[in-house]
């Protein structure tokens, strides 16, 4: 199958699984919530959605393995692996905040070649394939053209389980509050990255994330003309636990601030 066909099949699957998740919004109850670890919540919705995704993805690229958040399938592929977050923004979902997404990427030899983020609050389907561009509901998207930090809107995720770097993080935020239009915390890293890809945010950064949170979104940003790295400008952002993504115009300036505050 060509990358374009694979991407279309993943989009169709995400739309179907998205319908399931949306239907559960009014059904899921407090007693369905399990605590995996400090402030890390899960319910049957995440698990069932993941099972549905794995069943569908297995048909699209049968040779591929899985890196999936809820671990409902752990088979590793030699060349191809699906990197799946069935519900990114579970806390939002469980609290009735309408910002949460399905995030699916296909990795070939450790790098994404397909990425799909379906944000369910606005029913926005973001997709990208390597060297094929990035799209929102089928229309090509691009990162912001803004080059002025004072006119920028940034996004991040607040630490909620690992507070080791919180002082440096708060110091960084103070600087960014003074230098930008603001910093948002949507509660879904996949959505944050998709919003960088379509130019709503100028940059996004967060530490403590896993590959499934950022795999699809990173490809979206790159295919939309933006840049992605870890906090030192390096490439260890899938498994290194920190990511920074930004538009061509502001990536470098934000990275310098990030690097100076978080890596000293
Ligand atoms: C979370 C969201 C959130 C980020 C967390 C992630 P989950 O994913 O992306 O924005 O701050 O670190 O774990 O747990 O809802 O899939
Ligand atoms: Ca996630
Ligand atoms: Ca999740």
């Amino acid at each position: 199958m060509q990358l374009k066909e694979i991407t279309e099949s993943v989009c169709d699957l995400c739309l179907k699984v998205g319908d399931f998740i949306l239907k559960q919004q009014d059904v899921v109850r407090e007693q369905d919530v399990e605590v995996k670890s400090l402030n890390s919540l899960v319910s049957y919705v995440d698990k069932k959605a993941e099972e549905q995704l794995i069943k569908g993805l297995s048909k699209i690229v049968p040779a591929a393995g899985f890196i999936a958040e809820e671990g409902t399938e752990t088979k590793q592929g030699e060349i191809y692996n699906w990197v799946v977050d069935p519900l990114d923004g579970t806390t939002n979902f469980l609290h009735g905040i309408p910002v949460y997404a399905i995030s699916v990427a296909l990795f070939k030899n450790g790098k994404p070649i397909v990425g799909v983020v379906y944000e369910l609050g606005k029913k926005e389907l973001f997709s990208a394939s390597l060297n094929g561009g990035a799209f929102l509901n089928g229309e090509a998207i691009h990162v912001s053209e803004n080059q002025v930090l004072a006119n920028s809107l940034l996004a991040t995720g607040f630490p909620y389980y690992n507070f080791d770097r919180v002082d440096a993080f708060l110091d960084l935020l103070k600087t960014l509050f003074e230098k930008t239009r603001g910093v948002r915390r949507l509660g879904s890293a996949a959505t944050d990255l998709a919003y960088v890809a379509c130019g709503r945010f100028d940059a996004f950064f967060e530490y403590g994330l896993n590959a499934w949170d950022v795999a699809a979104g990173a490809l979206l940003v790159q295919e939309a003309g933006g840049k992605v790295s870890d906090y030192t400008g390096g490439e260890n952002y899938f498994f290194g636990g920190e990511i920074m993504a930004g538009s061509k115009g502001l990536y470098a300036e934000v990275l310098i601030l990030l690097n100076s505050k978080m890596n000293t």
Side-chain angles (χ1 to χ4, degrees):
M1 239 198 267
Q2 300 290 313
L3 277 193
K4 200 166 167 270
E5 284 172 73
I6 294 178
T7 311
E8 280 167 11
S9 304
V10 177
C11 285
D12 290 346
L13 177 64
C14 287
L15 289 171
K16 275 193 213 134
V17 178
D19 281 347
F20 162 74
I21 294 174
L22 283 168
K23 283 196 189 118
Q24 303 311 307
Q25 175 75 81
D26 297 325
V27 179
V28 68
R29 298 182 179 191
E30 189 60 36
Q31 48 266 43
D32 296 316
V33 180
E34 292 164 48
V35 179
K36 289 194 284 188
S37 56
L38 180 64
N39 293 330
S40 181
L41 311 179
V42 70
S43 79
Y44 72 89
V45 181
D46 307 60
K47 293 178 194 170
K48 283 215 154 73
E50 185 172 291
E51 282 166 7
Q52 292 172 20
L53 287 166
I54 282 166
K55 199 169 164 210
L57 295 170
S58 301
K59 290 184 193 143
I60 299 172
V61 181
F66 288 91
I67 300 170
E69 180 174 15
E70 306 310 335
T72 62
E73 171 63 74
T74 54
K75 180 189 82 173
Q76 293 288 299
E78 222 169 278
I79 300 171
Y80 295 101
N81 281 289
W82 294 105
V83 183
V84 180
D85 189 337
L87 182 45
D88 183 61
T90 295
T91 303
N92 279 353
F93 175 76
L94 292 171
H95 283 258
I97 312 291
V99 183
Y100 44 85
I102 297 172
S103 176
V104 175
L106 178 62
F107 273 30
K108 182 179 182 188
N109 296 321
K111 298 231 160 98
I113 55 171
V114 169
V116 173
V117 172
Y118 182 30
E119 198 287 302
L120 294 163
K122 281 166 71 79
K123 292 201 174 177
E124 289 187 320
L125 185 63
F126 296 87
S127 60
S129 58
L130 189 64
N131 301 322
F135 300 86
L136 162 52
N137 295 337
E139 300 289 322
I141 51 172
H142 304 281
V143 292
S144 162
E145 288 183 4
N146 169 36
Q147 303 200 4
V148 181
L149 191 59
N151 295 340
S152 70
L153 187 63
L154 308 191
T156 189
F158 299 151
Y160 61 95
Y161 71 94
N162 175 354
F163 305 104
D164 292 351
R165 299 169 86 185
V166 80
D167 290 338
F169 179 76
L170 291 174
D171 192 30
L172 170 69
L173 284 186
K174 182 173 180 291
T175 302
L176 294 174
F177 292 162
E178 290 162 1
K179 288 180 181 282
T180 68
R181 284 186 177 166
V183 182
R184 299 286 180 268
R185 197 288 193 253
L186 295 186
S188 162
T191 305
D192 291 322
L193 286 161
Y195 279 18
V196 173
C198 69
R200 293 175 188 162
F201 289 139
D202 294 271
F204 162 71
F205 57 91
E206 183 166 348
Y207 70 89
L209 293 176
N210 289 290
W212 48 73
D213 301 307
V214 296
L219 185 66
L220 285 171
V221 171
Q222 287 163 335
E223 287 297 325
K227 294 189 175 192
V228 184
S229 71
D230 56 33
Y231 284 6
T232 62
E235 293 201 349
N236 192 18
Y237 49 87
F238 291 125
F239 300 99
E242 56 179 44
I243 187 166
M244 142 93 210
S247 65
K248 242 188 270 171
L250 286 175
Y251 162 84
E253 199 172 343
V254 176
L255 182 67
I256 289 169
L257 291 171
L258 202 57
N259 200 355
S260 70
K261 299 282 183 190
M262 297 296 292
N263 290 325
T264 48

